[in-house]
Amino acid sequence: MTKVYFQEFLDIINPIINNKEFLKRKDYAHHENESVYDHSMKVSFSAYLCAKKLNLDYKSAAIGGLLHDFYYEDWQKNHVHKKFFQMHGFVHARQALENSKKVFPELMNKKVENIIVRHMFPLNIVPPKYAESWIVSLVDKKCSMYVLKHPKKCLKYVGIRKGSKS
């Protein structure tokens, strides 16, 4: 059964995972030893399965889950000091939405757009509008929790660079 679901999932996300711009995320660090590409695949597949089980819009969940971190550049390589509310955690969802609309306009709909722009709730204070958006937001947090295994490294995710060294 999972094999059938995985093939359907791949069919849905095929236009994204074969895109040269999206493939650059294999070289963007996400959290510690995982790329943005790998993280996004995990979030996308988990959100797809959850939405499918709940008879929700699993296609939008898969697409939004894959594009939720489709921001412009590898933020961990940018060492320019920014004001608190201009830091990555506050701005990357909007960047991911802008980038997604530019590169994949044919895949955008209201749910996909809301999934992308609201996945950082409650850090970004406006909550998700759709059940699929909530699913991606929660799955994203679950998939990112392993950073807590390295408390000293967690500091970089709140803007304190001391945690950025391995």
Side-chain angles (χ1 to χ4, degrees), residues 9-65:
F9 170 72
L10 289 176
D11 290 343
I12 293 165
I13 64 165
N14 189 54
I16 302 170
I17 60 172
N18 290 313
N19 178 278
K20 140 177 120 168
E21 184 61 33
F22 187 78
L23 288 170
K24 291 179 185 177
R25 276 63 190 171
K26 286 185 174 188
D27 296 325
Y28 290 16
H30 187 261
H31 293 151
E32 299 318 309
N33 297 321
E34 184 176 53
S35 70
V36 170
Y37 179 94
D38 291 337
H39 167 75
S40 297
M41 287 291 286
K42 284 180 189 175
V43 170
S44 179
F45 188 60
S46 295
Y48 158 83
L49 288 174
C50 187
K52 188 145 181 98
K53 185 173 185 168
L54 296 172
N55 292 315
L56 296 170
D57 183 357
Y58 57 87
K59 290 180 182 179
S60 290
I63 292 165

Side-chain angles (χ1 to χ4, degrees), residues 5 7 10 25 37 43-44 72 78 87-88 109 112 118 123-124 139 143 153 160:
Y5 284 161
Q7 186 56 56
L10 289 176
R25 276 63 190 171
Y37 179 94
V43 170
S44 179
Y72 302 133
N78 184 345
M87 295 172 104
H88 177 75
N109 64 40
V112 171
R118 299 290 172 232
L123 189 60
N124 292 344
V139 167
C143 289
K153 294 181 181 182
I160 302 170

Side-chain angles (χ1 to χ4, degrees), residues 73-140:
E73 60 187 18
D74 188 343
W75 70 274
Q76 293 188 50
K77 292 181 180 176
N78 184 345
H79 297 288
V80 175
H81 180 73
K82 296 180 180 177
K83 293 180 182 176
F84 187 72
F85 289 111
Q86 293 174 346
M87 295 172 104
H88 177 75
F90 295 101
V91 301
H92 83 271
R94 177 74 48 204
Q95 291 176 349
L97 178 59
E98 291 169 6
N99 214 20
S100 296
K101 284 179 167 182
K102 183 174 69 177
V103 179
F104 302 107
E106 71 284 0
L107 299 177
M108 295 295 107
N109 64 40
K110 289 181 181 184
K111 284 184 183 177
V112 171
E113 291 177 11
N114 190 260
I115 288 167
I116 295 167
V117 79
R118 299 290 172 232
H119 82 273
M120 286 301 291
F121 179 79
L123 189 60
N124 292 344
I125 61 172
V126 179
K129 182 176 182 178
Y130 303 102
E132 295 84 354
S133 306
W134 279 102
I135 289 169
V136 171
S137 182
L138 293 170
V139 167
D140 179 45

